[in-house]
Amino acid sequence: MESYKQEFIEFMVESNVLKFGDFTLKSGRKSPFFMNAGAYVTGSQLAKLGEYYAKAIHDKYGDDFDVLFGPAYKGIPLAVTTAMAYSKLYGKEIKYCSNRKEEKDHGADMGSLLGYKIQDGDRVVMIEDVTTSGKSMEETVPIVRAQGNVEIVGLIVSLNREEVGLSGDTSKTALDEVKDTYGFETGAIVSMSDVVECLYNKEVNGKVVINDEIKNAIDNYYAQYGVK
């Protein structure tokens, strides 16, 4: 595992973004872990987060894209901080774009988009925090493709939960399904397999994050909801 991925996993724990316990997800599933990207709240946290995303995007997609699209609301700061980090790390200016929940009908920046206005010929990488089922793509992909003759290069998330997607096909994760459904690549900074490998019986800030009890709960969860 690359060193920046190990650092990112510990960073999620230290930032109180990745938690372990007993959580009910939006899908109704009972999960032994939960990730909340909204817990990145300081300038230094957001700066580091952008660098981790930029490294993962560069590893997965290289430099052959023009725009980072972050769906409202959580995707907005993700797109902004990653575009800044990409310029810093790789010397390439990447534009950021997000959608508005409500279209603006006045001023010089009217319309449904915030930031750069996507145009014909643009190559877009979409950025999100996490994809549990892939359902969010049902809204996001049409928004991007409605802007013209654009190419969606791929989707990047911070954590691949490695769970079965909307179809219930136990051989495919939600990210696999997004790739098959929409025809573009998908990737993540880290997967839950990486997280378990990195944190099992390991101390972060003086505390073992994943002990035997939590590891057993995670294994049971994936026996029910994970890919086979």
Side-chain angles (χ1 to χ4, degrees), residues 66-72 75-80 83 94-100 112-119 122 124-127 140 143-144 147:
D66 314 291
V67 185
L68 277 173
F69 182 87
I76 297 174
L78 297 181
V80 171
I94 300 297
K95 307 174 186 74
Y96 99 90
C97 176
S98 298
N99 62 301
R100 301 179 190 270
S112 60
L113 299 182
L114 180 68
Y116 173 74
K117 304 301 186 285
I118 298 174
Q119 303 173 10
D122 283 335
V124 180
V125 170
M126 298 187 301
I127 184 169
T140 304
I143 290 172
V144 175
Q147 306 310 312

Side-chain angles (χ1 to χ4, degrees), residues 104-135:
K104 187 176 180 182
D105 61 1
H106 62 280
D109 59 341
M110 293 187 298
S112 60
L113 299 182
L114 180 68
Y116 173 74
K117 304 301 186 285
I118 298 174
Q119 303 173 10
D120 287 350
D122 283 335
R123 292 168 56 80
V124 180
V125 170
M126 298 187 301
I127 184 169
E128 284 200 326
D129 55 350
V130 65
T131 296
T132 301
S133 67
K135 188 173 178 59

